[in-house]
DNA sequence: CTCCAAATTGCATACGTTTGCAAAAGTTGT
DNA sequence: ACAACTTTTGCAAACGTATGCAATTTGGAG
């Protein structure tokens, strides 16, 4: 019972018009009389016709597909972003080709090549770094790129992030204000601007208040690495009374580690994260953290991307969105 | 600096052969002499030629795109599955079009229509139900469908799940064996076979041992609903000493709720989940749960789907994969 | 060297659409 | 009713590839 695929020719025949007429009825900008529109719509309905996007893409060069490149989905922040990005773009009539890529130059390169083959209209990358070579290739092919939650210094690409420097500052002021003086930082990966910015804001914020971090380790955005860092810090001669962790995902590991060492989080040691993923609000962690306003970040990403697709000449822009510090019990306002 | 797109014509001209020859070099099954292959490859390399998958799809009818439909990504099980499915299919030369769809008939219908427009070679659905109408449409269009982690009684679709009935039984035997007699169940959504099977296995397993569940509430796969159910159970006159929850995602909410009521999980009340998502192993929950062997489920899904694509006449199959009960501290082997 | 089968190649067409162009049909003003 | 427009319509040529068919080349075997 294979239903043969119905083409615009079939509809044209049934409606008694030319194939071009059918095409024009289904092409937003084109001109067609009320009468033809009615006839064509009726015939199309009867036959169950739907325009073939592939054929359309081939001729227009626009596929209405957005490539979304993501490295890993362990960190709850990214699935949440993926879900919202997908919904937002679907509402705008775009479809999403998702690629999970190992976060290596080789992996990214192959993925981007595939994306370009499919004539995607735009690319969003999350938790991934692009080489300048690749950046140039996309620009050369006229494909807009927006980096989500990750800046790229000097690449001339659009990006949407939260105000990471300011966020780091907020944590510094909060912890010092709460009376802490032994404060450590388990940073995000130094290879990513996001992590560096948070660290910089944090360190500068401490300095402004005359405090120096008593420990500073790179957690590589990885649970195990972060937990190991926490063990080192808490095992030290003068263990910190507060730890700022580069993102929530690592902060959960740090909390698990601290508890495994017998500490009561929020009393013996204060722990602050960054992202405010849903899990941060769950009872088991109740994590004090800087919120990344996901909805607004997604809106800004979609808006920027579509604007660049509509006008390729448009200059790229780096958008930063401010988010509040959300205080929960893992780090209270006072010791 | 727009680099013009290079076509098989250009390569043919440079290599001094016909366009067909170029096509044949890049088409796996076709025949070409060593000499032409070399010339064409060289020319293609020099020009940076890559075959256009859209044009190829239009003529062959095969897009090498797999549609993946997913309803929500809150439950950590699904992002993990998405990531692995994506990688596995990419390795096989397929690309993934991901759709997040509200889990309503209307939402699913629109998404599947879109998928069929893009001439996807196959569809995988996760955490989503398909109407029999839609099922028939896909079959009519000759598009194989595999349901991931969800069976559909009588739909004649392929599906890959864990051995849910047996899994429920395992939990029953474990809890009774540990000495519990006041045992409740917060089930998954009754509208999904997965949830019903786990419940059935559990209830039957208890019955076999002469025990009857002291409470049975539908948690709708939702945190809030599950937490409310837990509150009702634990507030009752004769609260259960053990609760089997339909999946890990809800179990975490149940644990949070129990703790908020002052209970020590694993001592005052035993809690068992289902899935063994990564979070289940984290210190904050340390959840006893039935493992769904994700890797093997993904393998089976990809294998089944590709087999059906290769041979559309192939009968659909329902695959069940057995998984062990993983004992952690949220429910110990003895009271 | 000859002949035959097998392998390779080019030609031309098809896939399902969009779009420039020119012809046809409406619309308006006088 | 006629001219001067504007809108609608059909024709035909793309877009970049795969593939059946017939012609050509190749490789051996005798």
């Amino acid at each position: 019972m294979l239903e043969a695929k119905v083409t615009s020719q079939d509809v044209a025949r049934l409606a008694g018009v030319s194939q071009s007429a059918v095409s024009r009825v289904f092409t937003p900008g084109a001109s067609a009389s009320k009468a033809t529109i009615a006839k064509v719509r009726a015939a199309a309905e009867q036959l169950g016709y739907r325009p073939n996007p592939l054929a359309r893409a081939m001729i227009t060069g626009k596929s209405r597909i957005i490539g979304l490149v993501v490295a890993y989905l362990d960190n709850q922040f990214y699935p949440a972003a993926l879900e919202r990005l997908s919904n937002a773009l679907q509402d705008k009539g775009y479809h999403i080709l998702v690629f999970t890529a190992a976060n290596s130059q080789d992996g990214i390169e192959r993925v981007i090549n595939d994306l370009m083959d499919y004539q995607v209209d735009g690319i969003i990358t999350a938790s991934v770094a692009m080489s300048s070579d690749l950046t140039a290739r996309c620009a050369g092919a006229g494909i807009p790129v927006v980096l989500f939650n990750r800046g790229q210094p000097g690449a001339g690409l659009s990006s949407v992030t939260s105000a990471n420097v300011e966020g780091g500052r907020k944590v510094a002021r909060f912890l010092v204000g709460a009376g802490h003086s032994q404060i450590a930082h388990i940073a995000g990966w130094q290879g990513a601007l996001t992590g560096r910015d948070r660290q910089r804001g944090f360190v500068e914020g401490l300095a402004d208040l005359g405090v120096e971090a008593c420990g500073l380790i790179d957690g590589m955005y990885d649970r195990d690495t972060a937990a190991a860092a926490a063990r080192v810090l808490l095992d030290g001669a003068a263990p910190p009374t507060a730890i700022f962790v580069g993102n929530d995902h690592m902060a959960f590991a740090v909390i698990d580690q601290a508890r495994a060492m017998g500490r009561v989080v929020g009393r013996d040691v204060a722990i602050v994260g960054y992202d405010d993923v849903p899990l941060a609000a769950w009872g088991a962690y109740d994590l004090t953290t800087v919120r990344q306003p996901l909805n607004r970040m997604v809106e800004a990403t979609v808006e920027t991307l579509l604007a660049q697709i509509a006008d390729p000449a448009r200059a790229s822009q780096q958008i930063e969105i401010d988010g509040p510090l959300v205080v929960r019990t893992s780090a209270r306002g006072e010791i």
Side-chain angles (χ1 to χ4, degrees), chain A residues 159-166 197 318-322:
Chain A
S159 63
V160 174
T161 63
S162 68
N164 289 310
V165 176
E166 179 54 27
D197 279 352
Q318 288 74 41
I319 300 179
E320 281 198 357
I321 300 180
D322 196 41

Side-chain angles (χ1 to χ4, degrees), chain A residues 77-102:
Chain A
F77 185 67
Y78 290 107
L82 164 54
E83 186 173 336
R84 283 172 174 77
L85 282 168
S86 169
N87 287 332
L89 285 169
Q90 273 174 228
D91 286 349
K92 301 284 187 179
Y94 282 85
H95 299 87
I96 297 202
L97 207 49
V98 170
F99 281 81
T100 60

Side-chain angles (χ1 to χ4, degrees), chain A residues 9 24 32 34 60 76 111 119 134-135 183 189 206 219 229 250 255 260 303 327:
Chain A
Q9 281 288 5
R24 280 188 252 263
K34 286 288 173 199
T60 63
Q76 210 186 11
V111 158
Q119 301 185 11
L134 227 45
T135 304
I183 308 178
W189 179 45
L206 288 183
M250 289 189 296
I255 290 180
E303 193 179 340
V327 179

Side-chain angles (χ1 to χ4, degrees), chain A residues 9 19 50 60 62 70 76 78 81 102 133 149 169 195 215 226-227 233-234 249 265 267 299 305 313 327 333:
Chain A
Q9 281 288 5
Q19 180 269 330
R50 317 192 84 223
T60 63
K62 258 68 192 71
V70 79
Q76 210 186 11
Y78 290 107
D133 168 50
N149 197 32
R169 275 217 166 75
L233 289 173
L234 294 175
H249 184 67
V265 172
R267 192 197 66 188
E299 276 171 31
L305 189 65
V327 179

Side-chain angles (χ1 to χ4, degrees), chain A residues 9 47 54 80 98 135 144 179 182 187 194 199 207 209 229 235-236 242 253 259 286 295 301 319:
Chain A
Q9 281 288 5
L47 297 176
L54 268 53
V98 170
T135 304
Q182 292 291 312
T194 302
Q199 173 173 332
L209 297 165
D235 260 346
R259 286 176 178 159
D286 206 39
N295 289 332
T301 301
I319 300 179

Side-chain angles (χ1 to χ4, degrees), chain A residues 214-331:
Chain A
C214 73
L216 209 152
I217 309 184
D218 193 327
M220 303 295 289
Y221 289 135
D222 175 72
R223 270 184 67 85
D224 292 340
T225 311
R231 181 154 13 92
V232 168
L233 289 173
L234 294 175
D235 260 346
T241 60
I243 305 178
F244 169 42
V245 190
N247 71 1
D248 286 358
H249 184 67
M250 289 189 296
F252 300 135
V254 170
I255 290 180
D256 288 340
Q257 178 65 40
R259 286 176 178 159
M261 295 170 77
R263 314 295 171 95
V264 173
V265 172
R267 192 197 66 188
D268 302 336
V269 58
I271 293 176
V272 179
Y274 206 113
D275 278 348
D276 196 23
V277 297
L279 178 49
W282 297 5
Y285 291 107
D286 206 39
L287 180 67
T288 296
T289 185
V290 178
R291 171 170 300 156
Q292 299 218 72
L294 186 53
N295 289 332
R296 277 156 61 206
M297 287 175 68
V298 165
E299 276 171 31
T301 301
V302 169
E303 193 179 340
T304 303
L305 189 65
L306 296 189
Q308 284 193 34
I309 289 174
D311 173 17
R314 173 185 260 260
S316 68
Q317 48 186 326
Q318 288 74 41
I319 300 179
E320 281 198 357
I321 300 180
D322 196 41
L325 178 76
V326 180
V327 179
R328 300 201 181 92
T329 58
S330 78

